[in-house]
Amino acid sequence: MSFQQGISGLNAASRNLEVIGNNIANANTVGSKLARAEFSDVYASAAGQQWSAGAGMGVRLSGVTQQFTQGSIRTTDNPLDVAINGRGFFSVVRPGTTEAAYTRNGQFQLDNRGNVVTGDGMRLQGYNVDPVTGKAGGVLGPVTLPTQGIAPKVTTAAEMQVNLDGRTPPPTATTPDFALDNGKSYTSSTSMAVYDQQGNEQVMSLYFRKTANDNEWDVYAALNGKAVPEPAGGAAQDPVGRITYKPDGTVDPTLTGSLAGGTVTPGPLTLDLPFSAATLPVPPSVSTTTAPITLSFDGSTQYGRPFGVVASTQDGYTAGQLTGFGITAEGMVEARYSNGKTINAAQVALADFRNEQGLVPVGNNLWRETPNSGQAAVSAPGTANLGLLQGGAVEESNIDLTQQLVDMITAQRSYQANAQTIKTQDQMLSTLVNLR
């Protein structure tokens, strides 16, 4: 029996060395996971009743399991590299097939169609982004990055927070009451960039004139130095809105809004900007179209300090060319454009399994699901039990090279010891045969 025990020990030590050798070979493989050889003892089944344990028959390999602990994260210069910090696997599919494989190797690149792929051409899976809502969802499919620029967007809404100096008296009487070229006819002014239908930048100017009533200001507008709305027949320009403050210096929403015929319509100011006239040489026979824009003064104040613009935003932009990509912690693939806009192009999906060790490795840093692993639960990063992503980084192997070298020495000693038991048993049998 000692021969059988020794042979099983030799086989076990040999298999252990194979596993250790594979770990050492993949110590620098991105996304690789530590493998561990697991052994169990072997005993013969007694034919009759036997209530005491006998000598064992050796050892056998019960399985090789992989340890899916977190590897160190290392930054890289490739914006398409992605590391998973936590649970989860990237889902990838080979073109022309539907069976998914799973990997922790986030070294991705682009193919000739803009798909994000692994080094051997398997396509990374994710969700499309609704261009209207900017939210990801729908059916899982390849993550495809845009290759074209974006069209311009006309300004439709703007917000401005200002502080109007409450210490300022109303302007002295002028004729007419307000004129763009008369600085004495208004109290304060500012401007902001807006964009027309072709993405051309226009300048919208706003003028604030304190009225004779306390806490009340009229708002006048101009586009590229021309009054909005343009008065007819040399008449005085009318205000487009009114801002009324409460005694504490905050905006009174019930008395702030568009102004027409002396009546205030509460809410954002509504302006009709003549973008066509500002952009194109429109013949006199062609009627000029206008672009409506809403302007909110929420958050503005009237305090005893000099006039100032606290914040100014608008939703238009000029045309832009694609300049780069980035991936957020939640897996959003952001496309960056030359006009400063960042648009969500897709969202990377992650897969999770009830039993990760039930996955079967198939090479190329890939695993496939099995009945032991359970079906993949696919969702967005950061949801459920899934980890977050880090763009421009990769997850290194979780293999401790020092520990593997120590384990290799131990396995070698085990192999030598089992060989020695066979040698000793051979000497015992030789002594027995030589008895006279």
Side-chain angles (χ1 to χ4, degrees):
M1 184 176 293
S2 297
F3 284 119
Q4 183 174 346
Q5 293 166 340
I7 291 173
S8 68
L10 288 175
N11 289 333
S14 178
R15 294 299 301 275
N16 193 21
L17 282 169
E18 290 177 5
V19 174
I20 293 172
N22 185 67
N23 287 338
I24 293 175
N26 287 282
N28 293 321
T29 301
V30 171
S32 178
K33 296 301 176 182
L34 172 71
R36 183 178 67 187
E38 299 178 352
F39 302 94
S40 58
D41 53 10
V42 179
Y43 282 84
S45 299
Q49 291 185 351
Q50 182 175 331
W51 305 107
S52 61
M57 299 178 63
V59 64
R60 69 181 180 87
L61 180 70
S62 59
V64 177
T65 60
Q66 292 195 286
Q67 312 303 308
F68 290 94
T69 56
Q70 179 70 44
S72 300
I73 294 179
R74 172 173 55 86
T75 58
T76 68
D77 295 329
N78 182 7
L80 289 179
D81 285 343
V82 193
I84 302 175
N85 189 3
R87 290 180 63 92
F89 296 83
F90 298 112
S91 177
V92 293
V93 172
R94 191 172 300 281
T97 66
T98 58
E99 183 181 8
Y102 305 95
T103 182
R104 294 278 296 194
N105 184 352
Q107 294 175 306
F108 297 113
Q109 52 194 315
L110 291 179
D111 65 10
N112 57 0
R113 295 186 177 181
N115 297 308
V116 180
V117 297
T118 63
D120 58 346
M122 300 188 73
R123 294 175 179 173
L124 177 65
Q125 301 295 289
Y127 301 106
N128 292 325
V129 174
D130 189 318
V132 178
T133 63
K135 295 182 178 180
V139 180
L140 200 66
V143 174
T144 304
L145 301 185
T147 57
Q148 311 236 344
I150 55 174
K153 181 180 183 300
V154 63
T155 300
T156 59
E159 296 182 4
M160 182 173 287
Q161 293 181 13
V162 298
N163 178 73
L164 298 174
D165 192 348
R167 303 167 299 181
T168 305
T172 57
T174 59
T175 303
D177 290 340
F178 172 81
L180 294 178
D181 56 357
N182 185 359
K184 295 182 179 181
S185 65
Y186 54 86
T187 308
S188 305
S189 66
T190 187
S191 61
M192 66 185 305
V194 293
Y195 295 89
D196 62 18
Q197 296 91 333
Q198 297 181 7
N200 297 303
E201 182 178 317
Q202 312 293 333
V203 178
M204 180 179 69
S205 301
L206 298 174
Y207 303 85
F208 305 94
R209 175 187 172 94
K210 193 171 186 180
T211 69
N213 300 323
D214 290 340
N215 304 322
E216 187 179 87
W217 300 73
D218 283 344
V219 181
Y220 297 82
L223 182 68
N224 295 331
K226 295 183 179 180
V228 176
E230 190 172 358
Q237 182 177 347
D238 293 328
V240 294
R242 177 168 291 168
I243 305 175
T244 302
Y245 292 96
K246 299 177 183 178
D248 63 357
T250 59
V251 171
D252 186 345
T254 62
L255 298 175
T256 298
S258 299
L259 182 63
T263 302
V264 174
T265 302
L269 278 67
T270 301
L271 300 174
D272 289 327
L273 300 181
F275 279 151
S276 295
T279 305
L280 303 174
V282 181
S285 60
V286 178
S287 61
T288 300
T289 60
T290 58
I293 177 175
T294 59
L295 176 61
S296 172
F297 287 100
D298 291 345
S300 295
T301 57
Q302 179 189 256
Y303 294 146
R305 64 171 185 255
F307 169 80
V309 179
V310 179
S312 177
T313 61
Q314 55 85 37
D315 63 350
Y317 48 83
T318 187
Q321 296 298 318
L322 188 65
T323 59
F325 301 97
I327 299 178
T328 69
E330 293 74 25
M332 281 293 183
V333 181
E334 297 179 335
R336 295 188 291 268
Y337 295 89
S338 57
N339 58 3
K341 295 296 294 182
T342 299
I343 296 178
N344 293 333
Q347 185 177 32
V348 177
L350 293 182
D352 194 17
F353 298 88
R354 181 65 62 88
N355 175 26
E356 294 176 329
Q357 292 186 339
L359 295 170
V360 57
V362 294
N364 292 328
N365 298 321
L366 301 175
W367 290 271
R368 293 197 185 275
E369 68 178 51
T370 68
N372 289 334
S373 67
Q375 290 186 337
V378 181
S379 188
T383 61
N385 296 322
L386 295 171
L388 296 173
L389 302 185
Q390 181 173 337
V394 293
E395 180 192 8
E396 295 183 326
S397 168
N398 65 349
I399 298 170
D400 184 346
L401 186 56
T402 302
Q403 183 63 49
Q404 293 304 301
L405 293 174
V406 172
D407 291 345
M408 182 173 61
I409 296 174
T410 303
Q412 180 187 12
R413 295 302 183 193
S414 176
Y415 192 93
Q416 292 173 338
N418 280 280
Q420 189 65 35
T421 64
I422 296 175
K423 179 180 179 181
T424 302
Q425 181 68 16
D426 177 61
Q427 291 174 344
M428 292 172 60
L429 288 177
S430 178
T431 301
L432 181 63
V433 169
N434 292 331
L435 287 176
R436 294 290 188 271

